[in-house]
Amino acid sequence: MPPQYAPSLRSRLAPLLLLLQTGFIIIFAFYVEIERKGKADAFINFYAEFQDVNVIVILGFGFLGTFLVRHGFSGSGFNLLVAAMATQWALILNDIESLYYRGKMRIDLRSLIVAEMRTASALISTGAVLGKANPVHLILIGLLEVSGFILNEKLLQFFLKVRPLESIMMLHIFGSLFGLMLTGVLYRKGSEHPFEKERFDKKSGLFSMLGTAFLWMFWPTFNSVLVDDHTPGRKLGAVCGTYLALAVSAVTAAAVSVLSNPKGKLNLVHLQSCILSGGVAVGVSVSAVQHPWEAMTIGFAAAVISTIGFHYLKVIHMLLAFQCHDTRAILSSHGLPGLLGWLAHLILQIKDSTNPVIAIRFALFHICALLITIALSVTLGILTGLLVKLKFWRAPQDKKCFDDQAFWEFPRLAERK
Amino acid sequence: MPPQYAPSLRSRLAPLLLLLQTGFIIIFAFYVEIERKGKADAFINFYAEFQDVNVIVILGFGFLGTFLVRHGFSGSGFNLLVAAMATQWALILNDIESLYYRGKMRIDLRSLIVAEMRTASALISTGAVLGKANPVHLILIGLLEVSGFILNEKLLQFFLKVRPLESIMMLHIFGSLFGLMLTGVLYRKGSEHPFEKERFDKKSGLFSMLGTAFLWMFWPTFNSVLVDDHTPGRKLGAVCGTYLALAVSAVTAAAVSVLSNPKGKLNLVHLQSCILSGGVAVGVSVSAVQHPWEAMTIGFAAAVISTIGFHYLKVIHMLLAFQCHDTRAILSSHGLPGLLGWLAHLILQIKDSTNPVIAIRFALFHICALLITIALSVTLGILTGLLVKLKFWRAPQDKKCFDDQAFWEFPRLAERK
Amino acid sequence: MPPQYAPSLRSRLAPLLLLLQTGFIIIFAFYVEIERKGKADAFINFYAEFQDVNVIVILGFGFLGTFLVRHGFSGSGFNLLVAAMATQWALILNDIESLYYRGKMRIDLRSLIVAEMRTASALISTGAVLGKANPVHLILIGLLEVSGFILNEKLLQFFLKVRPLESIMMLHIFGSLFGLMLTGVLYRKGSEHPFEKERFDKKSGLFSMLGTAFLWMFWPTFNSVLVDDHTPGRKLGAVCGTYLALAVSAVTAAAVSVLSNPKGKLNLVHLQSCILSGGVAVGVSVSAVQHPWEAMTIGFAAAVISTIGFHYLKVIHMLLAFQCHDTRAILSSHGLPGLLGWLAHLILQIKDSTNPVIAIRFALFHICALLITIALSVTLGILTGLLVKLKFWRAPQDKKCFDDQAFWEFPRLAERK
């Protein structure tokens, strides 16, 4: 007879959390200090944007993951846990070069924001295994993904002189490919049929709508926060462009969703996955977008491929014989729009450049940057998947997937009458 | 036998969305550019307030409309759809004069905020037909209402030299009268009895409470964002006044709600509709309010008439033989407080003016502004109602009103056990 | 036979609200004016932080109180009501000295923020009697707690020259002891067994998670808003320290929760009560924390004692024969971390001081400040409890505790199918 309960995580989760956390505190004690030379001005200007990014990471991604009717606590609670760990780790890795030069790393509001954006890439990856992994898995994935993503950034900056703004915006491509490989490696037999408990109800759909709404509202901040405001209008352009792209992709996703349904109904899951696609695509191409209409066109195209991608993903998986179960549809909500944004960046840059030599040079660099990102994310995703697959981490049984009951204690739960 | 399903919107909604969206992108491509001359300072100062207004429009109005137990997805989802369309359209109409003079329209953060505020007036109107209209209706209503409202603003500014801050704050009066006329024209026989599915439950009431809380918290921004800060204390006065008026109207609405109930219980719907009334009234009179106590008194009066209005509205409708079914009670939550705010503005201005000639002159102008607004909103509301009544748009049957099932696909819905 | 319905509040609540509100308006009319000399700059810088504090008070505390399945409307609605009253009252008491000197009190954005923070201390107290008190009780408690807390601040400032930042941060200690005494005095026989309706369900748990998430996200603002930014890096240090302490305490609370459960499961109530503890403790010691690792260590210790405190609280209550039923567990979520923060402040200050005389002097002052706060909060809590216990206020029967039905009217509630 199989065990009736999900395996206990007491001997895995608690030591892991306490060990890592103590380690982080020790590292901070010896090597990290507050940047005390910044102007008060810079602080104030950044603070509201820091809070927006914080809301995106904790509330947006957290409540986006509550759409599963029996998985709401895990969706929002584990998201917070992973975010709290990954941000600390990203903060440590952020300025690791200075450790070599000065013996100390400095943190300020900007490094906190950057750390949270890197955490977002990890939260995209964990979205693919949502409901099928236990918190130990999620934390390992979060920390490894963030490390890999920072490695990718440093490689791009070192070899190709890619600017920080552009290398960090690769997070959508990196996060989704990493997550996809991971969930491919962790594939469970029999999950071509949906899991028994992978269902949503109308209230959990509304919680998830809440998360989506926060992501949608604060996405302009996510795309513009690292754009410098030395050139007048650059930051404003990023904000307006992102806002318009989001509006266009909301409208377009709704239209495509209605078209793709025989009864002409809207699909809430389409909407929640695809209305952000415009923001994602404009984010990846933000340093090349000059005019609002460019952002809007990108948003239009992103919503079309994202919604169609979502709809026909299953067929594609079958065709490619690529077995993979992607809970939050990160391929169509982050991967495809991210790649489109990369392409749009390339096209816009070539269009705007007057010198063909520079254009070709840029194209080569741009293609290399994509190839490095793909190679690294795929490799690291597979390796992480293999590590996480070890029996040692006590994965939940198929029957316990998508079920809060496996990880949460409900002492005084009201009975349904 | 009547059809069992709500009519399919595939051939109506998708073409409408795609056509309009493509049209908007083309207009933006040819005629709209980003304002590049603004100071970085102005951007930073405005950005947090822009986000607050965004939250009011998307989250506040969206989740306010989730109180109907079977209509939560439509309430929040269609709100986002209408907002995304109407804001783009309002952005185009905003600066249409410059098109004539310079051939280009410019957008910046301020024009985005103004566009969102105009969208708010459309979202007030759609509140009256919530649950009884399909998304095609809502989008038509949204775009026509915004156009009408901008026309009203331009008329007020052209003929009466009303300042932009004051003409835009007419949005509560314009939006609610427009919506009321509309729902009067669209009146369905038999709806003196409540619709079968027009019900809420305790969880949908909490979602709606969430929307209300966000409106309540960020309303000070909504009222103060367009107040210029050249005179020290003006903007601070608007913020403090609105905050205090909101606090007073929350307390007063609770008191009146308890008084009007024979068992001395509170009515959640009263509270959700009426605690904002103080903010609405102070918004309309914001340029005349000088002292906190004036704002508080306006908030007190607004909450009283709003709550009593809500309570006795049905009787009034019967008396006037004016048949109209107002789902979100926009008359008592926006219309009456808006009119009160208009009156308060008049009284305060006359009280503060030393010269009787100027006072009379102001009163005349002020009354004319109200009359124009009423005339235009009523006329356009009726015309829009007649257009929307056309069978071509495939309104849902009475039985399908207030039901997400008519418009949304639920593929993997968990069954209730 | 006992009465079947909860006693009507019509003759208690409505007059109380209307009387107090009219009184407040009159006081504002005669004695309060807007500060008109502030720089526009100061306004802008403060505004986003004001909104964060507003979100903490209204949404954070409000939705934290929705975890009880039948008490969500009361949890969020009465919170708003108490906040609206207490903030007005705190605003009046804030600057009461100037009334003596100048005949007028001035309000600006800072005094609004301070008033909301004092309101937070009242909302902590009311958390202890959540579900067992009617709105009349809650308003009385709110107003008396705020008065007592301001008295405590003025005493600390007058006798011990405690700086405003430090005296206001005592709010966690004051609020939780006040609430604990109160709920001790109001103890109902038989409540060693849990109340019949004191239960949560999975959806109400998510609403409460939402409140927790907002508190968690915006807590850095709560701790840093009153830190002056004259010394570069002070405010940044407060923000980064609080953020890191919150992250650490989220991780640690999860670990301790898993350890303390025999099956190795997480307890959502632990998490919701204890992930803030780091923020609370760092708040109390914010003016002494210099380095991120100090904040992280405080966060670690706070989460450990808070989670263990939560777990063994019942036993402690039994041992001490101290009968008290603390609905929202304010002792472990605010009281213990607050005391820890006080201790951390003492240790850090002594560690950093070079002169032993000054260190001892500081320790004496610091201990006196704590003793005054404890003495005042305990005394006033007991007195308030005795006042509230009067039959005149019509407390709900035991059977009606934790039940919205006692106070709210549900006219068109959908039946469960």
Side-chain angles (χ1 to χ4, degrees):
Chain A
M1 248 176 71
Q4 275 192 300
Y5 299 107
S8 167
L9 295 175
R10 205 175 174 187
S11 60
R12 301 291 180 273
L13 184 58
L16 181 79
L17 289 176
L18 292 175
L19 257 173
L20 285 173
Q21 189 56 71
T22 321
F24 289 170
I25 295 182
I26 293 172
I27 296 175
F28 270 85
F30 285 99
Y31 302 116
V32 179
E33 60 185 15
I34 295 278
E35 174 67 71
R36 296 204 182 272
K37 277 188 222 135
K39 284 175 291 179
D41 223 42
F43 172 78
I44 292 300
N45 292 352
F46 254 147
Y47 191 64
E49 302 179 45
F50 160 66
Q51 285 296 9
D52 289 359
V53 174
N54 209 359
V55 170
I56 284 179
V57 167
I58 302 297
L59 199 86
F61 282 106
F63 276 82
L64 194 60
T66 56
F67 63 96
L68 295 158
V69 62
R70 284 161 164 270
H71 202 65
F73 291 173
S74 308
S76 56
F78 295 161
N79 181 77
L80 195 144
L81 210 58
V82 172
M85 296 290 279
T87 308
Q88 291 181 63
W89 184 230
L91 216 46
I92 290 172
L93 293 184
N94 177 44
D95 194 22
I96 200 126
E97 306 92 274
S98 330
L99 197 62
Y100 179 76
Y101 296 117
R102 290 184 300 152
K104 281 276 187 191
M105 300 178 282
R106 291 206 180 130
I107 57 173
D108 57 7
L109 217 48
R110 190 189 166 90
S111 57
L112 213 54
I113 292 171
V114 169
E116 293 223 49
M117 292 176 79
R118 287 164 179 164
T119 297
S121 85
L123 297 175
I124 292 170
S125 294
T126 55
V129 293
L130 188 77
K132 298 170 295 177
N134 68 31
V136 179
H137 293 152
L138 294 175
I139 286 167
L140 290 176
I141 294 170
L143 296 180
L144 291 171
E145 208 275 354
V146 159
S147 319
F149 180 62
I150 294 178
L151 177 65
N152 189 52
E153 276 188 75
K154 308 254 172 199
L155 287 181
L156 293 186
Q157 283 166 33
F158 187 79
F159 288 112
L160 302 173
K161 313 279 174 229
V162 177
R163 279 170 298 174
L165 171 63
E166 283 158 37
S167 64
I168 208 168
M169 279 303 172
M170 285 293 189
L171 69 93
H172 302 288
I173 299 174
F174 192 96
S176 59
L177 291 180
F178 187 98
L180 223 59
M181 287 304 122
L182 187 70
T183 191
V185 173
L186 294 177
Y187 187 75
R188 289 160 185 249
K189 281 232 168 105
S191 61
E192 52 275 17
H193 309 295
F195 285 85
E196 185 190 336
K197 291 169 180 168
E198 193 185 357
R199 297 181 171 281
F200 73 104
D201 73 356
K202 293 189 180 181
K203 291 294 179 298
S204 67
L206 271 181
F207 276 111
S208 172
M209 188 74 198
L210 186 74
T212 314
F214 273 103
L215 289 176
W216 198 88
M217 292 185 297
F218 291 151
W219 209 259
T221 310
F222 197 84
N223 281 353
S224 70
V225 62
L226 296 182
V227 175
D228 68 82
D229 47 4
H230 299 312
T231 326
R234 284 284 292 128
K235 204 157 184 167
L236 176 65
V239 166
C240 290
T242 307
Y243 181 85
L244 287 167
L246 287 165
V248 172
S249 62
V251 173
T252 313
V256 178
S257 177
V258 167
L259 272 184
S260 68
N261 182 288
K263 290 187 211 146
K265 292 187 178 184
L266 281 159
N267 188 326
L268 188 74
V269 186
H270 282 179
L271 230 60
Q272 291 182 349
S273 307
C274 307
I275 61 172
L276 282 175
S277 54
V280 169
V282 168
V284 180
S285 52
V286 70
S287 51
V289 172
Q290 302 275 350
H291 303 290
W293 73 269
E294 294 170 350
M296 291 167 89
T297 311
I298 294 172
F300 190 90
V304 170
I305 63 157
S306 174
T307 319
I308 291 181
F310 189 93
H311 205 71
Y312 296 105
L313 214 66
K314 266 209 169 143
V315 186
I316 295 168
H317 282 174
M318 300 286 159
L319 281 179
L320 298 176
F322 178 63
Q323 293 187 311
C324 119
H325 176 275
D326 176 3
T327 312
R328 233 189 58 208
I330 57 167
L331 178 59
S332 53
S333 59
H334 292 274
L336 297 179
L339 289 169
L340 180 86
W342 174 87
L343 190 68
H345 191 164
L346 182 63
I347 294 172
L348 287 172
Q349 199 85 36
I350 289 176
K351 197 197 74 177
D352 289 352
S353 91
T354 45
N355 185 335
V357 179
I358 292 177
I360 291 168
R361 211 180 130 92
F362 172 80
L364 278 177
F365 268 62
H366 202 61
I367 291 167
C368 284
L370 182 69
L371 291 180
I372 290 178
T373 305
I374 290 177
L376 209 62
S377 61
V378 166
T379 318
L380 293 175
I382 292 173
L383 289 178
T384 306
L386 292 175
L387 172 72
V388 163
K389 212 174 182 174
L390 294 179
K391 285 228 166 123
F392 180 75
W393 306 116
R394 300 193 172 173
Q397 308 97 306
D398 286 6
K399 270 198 160 180
K400 297 287 168 191
C401 283
F402 301 99
D403 195 348
D404 277 344
Q405 212 87 40
F407 307 119
W408 298 86
E409 174 85 1
F410 300 112
R412 289 195 51 73
L413 198 65
E415 278 164 48
R416 272 247 171 110
K417 281 171 199 166
Chain B
M1 251 177 71
Q4 274 193 298
Y5 299 107
S8 167
L9 295 175
R10 206 175 173 188
S11 59
R12 300 291 181 275
L13 183 58
L16 181 79
L17 290 176
L18 291 176
L19 257 174
L20 285 172
Q21 189 56 70
T22 321
F24 289 171
I25 295 182
I26 292 172
I27 297 176
F28 269 85
F30 285 100
Y31 301 116
V32 178
E33 61 187 14
I34 295 279
E35 174 66 73
R36 297 204 181 270
K37 276 189 223 136
K39 285 175 289 178
D41 223 43
F43 172 79
I44 291 299
N45 292 352
F46 253 147
Y47 191 65
E49 301 180 45
F50 159 65
Q51 285 296 9
D52 289 358
V53 175
N54 209 359
V55 170
I56 284 179
V57 167
I58 302 296
L59 199 87
F61 283 106
F63 276 81
L64 193 60
T66 56
F67 63 95
L68 295 158
V69 63
R70 283 158 164 273
H71 201 64
F73 291 173
S74 308
S76 56
F78 295 160
N79 181 76
L80 195 145
L81 209 59
V82 172
M85 296 291 280
T87 308
Q88 291 180 64
W89 184 230
L91 217 45
I92 291 172
L93 293 184
N94 177 43
D95 195 21
I96 200 129
E97 307 92 275
S98 328
L99 196 61
Y100 180 75
Y101 297 117
R102 290 184 300 152
K104 282 277 186 188
M105 300 179 281
R106 292 210 179 128
I107 57 174
D108 58 7
L109 216 49
R110 191 189 165 90
S111 58
L112 213 53
I113 292 171
V114 169
E116 293 223 48
M117 292 176 80
R118 286 163 179 166
T119 298
S121 85
L123 296 176
I124 292 170
S125 294
T126 55
V129 292
L130 188 75
K132 297 170 294 177
N134 68 30
V136 179
H137 293 153
L138 294 176
I139 286 167
L140 290 176
I141 294 170
L143 296 180
L144 291 171
E145 207 275 354
V146 160
S147 320
F149 180 61
I150 294 177
L151 177 65
N152 189 52
E153 276 188 75
K154 308 254 171 199
L155 287 181
L156 293 186
Q157 283 166 33
F158 188 79
F159 287 113
L160 302 172
K161 313 277 176 233
V162 177
R163 279 169 298 174
L165 171 64
E166 283 158 37
S167 65
I168 207 168
M169 279 303 171
M170 285 294 190
L171 69 94
H172 300 289
I173 299 173
F174 192 96
S176 60
L177 290 180
F178 187 98
L180 223 60
M181 287 304 121
L182 188 68
T183 192
V185 173
L186 293 178
Y187 188 75
R188 288 157 186 253
K189 281 229 169 107
S191 61
E192 54 274 17
H193 309 295
F195 284 86
E196 184 190 338
K197 290 169 181 168
E198 192 186 358
R199 296 181 172 280
F200 74 103
D201 74 355
K202 293 189 181 181
K203 291 294 178 297
S204 67
L206 271 181
F207 276 111
S208 173
M209 188 72 198
L210 187 75
T212 314
F214 272 102
L215 289 176
W216 198 87
M217 291 186 297
F218 291 151
W219 207 260
T221 310
F222 197 83
N223 280 354
S224 70
V225 62
L226 296 182
V227 174
D228 68 82
D229 47 3
H230 298 313
T231 326
R234 283 283 293 127
K235 204 155 184 168
L236 177 66
V239 167
C240 289
T242 307
Y243 180 85
L244 287 167
L246 287 165
V248 172
S249 62
V251 173
T252 313
V256 177
S257 178
V258 167
L259 272 184
S260 68
N261 181 289
K263 290 187 211 146
K265 291 187 180 185
L266 281 158
N267 189 327
L268 189 74
V269 188
H270 282 178
L271 229 58
Q272 290 183 350
S273 307
C274 308
I275 62 173
L276 282 173
S277 53
V280 169
V282 167
V284 179
S285 53
V286 69
S287 52
V289 172
Q290 303 275 348
H291 304 291
W293 72 269
E294 293 169 352
M296 291 167 88
T297 312
I298 294 172
F300 190 90
V304 170
I305 63 158
S306 174
T307 319
I308 291 180
F310 189 93
H311 206 71
Y312 295 105
L313 213 66
K314 266 208 169 145
V315 186
I316 295 168
H317 282 176
M318 300 285 159
L319 281 179
L320 299 176
F322 177 62
Q323 293 187 311
C324 120
H325 176 273
D326 175 4
T327 313
R328 233 189 59 208
I330 56 167
L331 178 59
S332 53
S333 58
H334 292 274
L336 297 179
L339 289 169
L340 180 84
W342 175 88
L343 190 68
H345 191 165
L346 181 63
I347 295 171
L348 287 172
Q349 200 83 38
I350 289 177
K351 196 196 75 175
D352 290 349
S353 90
T354 44
N355 185 334
V357 179
I358 290 178
I360 290 168
R361 210 180 130 90
F362 172 80
L364 278 177
F365 268 63
H366 202 60
I367 291 167
C368 283
L370 181 70
L371 291 180
I372 290 178
T373 305
I374 290 177
L376 209 62
S377 61
V378 166
T379 319
L380 292 176
I382 291 172
L383 289 178
T384 305
L386 292 174
L387 172 71
V388 163
K389 213 175 183 174
L390 293 180
K391 285 229 169 123
F392 180 74
W393 305 114
R394 301 194 171 173
Q397 309 97 307
D398 286 7
K399 270 197 161 181
K400 297 287 167 191
C401 283
F402 300 98
D403 195 347
D404 278 343
Q405 212 87 41
F407 309 120
W408 297 86
E409 174 85 0
F410 300 111
R412 289 194 52 71
L413 198 65
E415 279 163 47
R416 274 252 169 106
K417 282 170 199 167
Chain C
M1 250 178 69
Q4 274 193 298
Y5 298 107
S8 168
L9 295 175
R10 206 176 174 187
S11 59
R12 302 291 181 275
L13 184 58
L16 181 79
L17 289 176
L18 291 176
L19 257 174
L20 285 172
Q21 190 56 69
T22 321
F24 289 170
I25 295 181
I26 294 172
I27 296 175
F28 268 85
F30 285 100
Y31 302 116
V32 178
E33 61 187 14
I34 295 278
E35 172 67 74
R36 297 204 181 271
K37 277 188 222 136
K39 284 175 291 179
D41 222 41
F43 172 78
I44 292 297
N45 292 351
F46 254 147
Y47 190 65
E49 302 180 44
F50 160 65
Q51 285 296 9
D52 289 358
V53 175
N54 210 358
V55 169
I56 284 179
V57 167
I58 302 298
L59 198 87
F61 283 106
F63 276 83
L64 194 60
T66 56
F67 63 95
L68 295 158
V69 62
R70 285 160 162 271
H71 202 64
F73 291 173
S74 308
S76 56
F78 295 160
N79 180 76
L80 196 144
L81 208 60
V82 172
M85 295 291 279
T87 308
Q88 292 180 63
W89 185 230
L91 217 46
I92 291 172
L93 294 184
N94 176 45
D95 195 23
I96 200 127
E97 307 92 273
S98 331
L99 196 62
Y100 179 75
Y101 297 116
R102 290 185 298 153
K104 280 277 186 189
M105 299 179 283
R106 291 209 179 129
I107 58 173
D108 58 7
L109 216 48
R110 191 189 166 90
S111 57
L112 213 53
I113 293 172
V114 169
E116 292 223 49
M117 293 176 80
R118 285 162 179 166
T119 298
S121 85
L123 297 176
I124 292 170
S125 294
T126 55
V129 292
L130 187 76
K132 297 169 295 177
N134 68 29
V136 179
H137 293 153
L138 294 175
I139 285 166
L140 291 175
I141 294 170
L143 296 180
L144 291 170
E145 207 276 353
V146 159
S147 320
F149 181 61
I150 294 177
L151 177 65
N152 189 50
E153 275 187 76
K154 308 253 172 200
L155 287 180
L156 293 186
Q157 283 167 33
F158 187 79
F159 288 113
L160 302 172
K161 313 279 176 232
V162 177
R163 280 169 298 174
L165 171 64
E166 283 158 37
S167 64
I168 207 168
M169 279 302 171
M170 284 294 190
L171 70 94
H172 301 287
I173 299 173
F174 191 95
S176 59
L177 290 179
F178 187 98
L180 223 59
M181 288 305 121
L182 187 70
T183 191
V185 172
L186 293 177
Y187 186 75
R188 288 159 186 251
K189 280 233 169 104
S191 60
E192 52 274 17
H193 309 294
F195 284 86
E196 185 189 337
K197 290 169 181 168
E198 192 186 358
R199 297 181 171 280
F200 75 102
D201 73 357
K202 292 189 181 182
K203 291 294 179 296
S204 67
L206 271 181
F207 276 112
S208 172
M209 189 73 199
L210 187 75
T212 313
F214 272 103
L215 289 176
W216 198 87
M217 292 186 296
F218 291 150
W219 208 260
T221 310
F222 197 84
N223 281 354
S224 70
V225 63
L226 296 182
V227 174
D228 68 83
D229 47 4
H230 299 312
T231 326
R234 283 285 293 129
K235 204 155 183 169
L236 176 66
V239 167
C240 289
T242 307
Y243 180 85
L244 287 167
L246 287 165
V248 172
S249 62
V251 173
T252 313
V256 177
S257 178
V258 166
L259 272 184
S260 69
N261 182 288
K263 291 188 212 144
K265 292 186 179 184
L266 282 158
N267 189 326
L268 189 74
V269 187
H270 282 178
L271 230 59
Q272 290 182 349
S273 307
C274 308
I275 62 173
L276 283 174
S277 54
V280 169
V282 168
V284 179
S285 52
V286 70
S287 51
V289 172
Q290 303 275 348
H291 304 290
W293 74 269
E294 294 169 352
M296 291 168 86
T297 311
I298 294 171
F300 190 90
V304 170
I305 63 159
S306 174
T307 318
I308 291 180
F310 189 93
H311 205 72
Y312 296 105
L313 215 67
K314 265 209 168 146
V315 187
I316 296 167
H317 282 175
M318 299 286 159
L319 281 179
L320 299 176
F322 177 63
Q323 293 187 309
C324 119
H325 176 275
D326 175 4
T327 312
R328 234 189 58 209
I330 55 166
L331 178 59
S332 54
S333 60
H334 293 274
L336 298 178
L339 289 168
L340 181 86
W342 174 87
L343 191 68
H345 192 164
L346 180 64
I347 294 172
L348 288 173
Q349 200 84 36
I350 289 177
K351 196 197 75 176
D352 290 351
S353 89
T354 45
N355 186 335
V357 179
I358 291 177
I360 291 167
R361 212 181 127 90
F362 172 80
L364 279 176
F365 268 63
H366 202 60
I367 290 167
C368 284
L370 181 69
L371 290 180
I372 290 177
T373 305
I374 290 177
L376 209 62
S377 60
V378 166
T379 319
L380 292 176
I382 291 173
L383 289 178
T384 306
L386 292 174
L387 171 73
V388 164
K389 213 175 182 173
L390 294 179
K391 285 232 167 121
F392 180 74
W393 305 116
R394 300 195 171 172
Q397 309 96 310
D398 286 6
K399 270 198 163 182
K400 297 286 169 194
C401 283
F402 301 98
D403 195 348
D404 277 343
Q405 213 87 39
F407 309 120
W408 297 86
E409 174 85 0
F410 300 112
R412 290 195 49 72
L413 198 64
E415 280 164 46
R416 273 252 171 105
K417 282 172 199 167

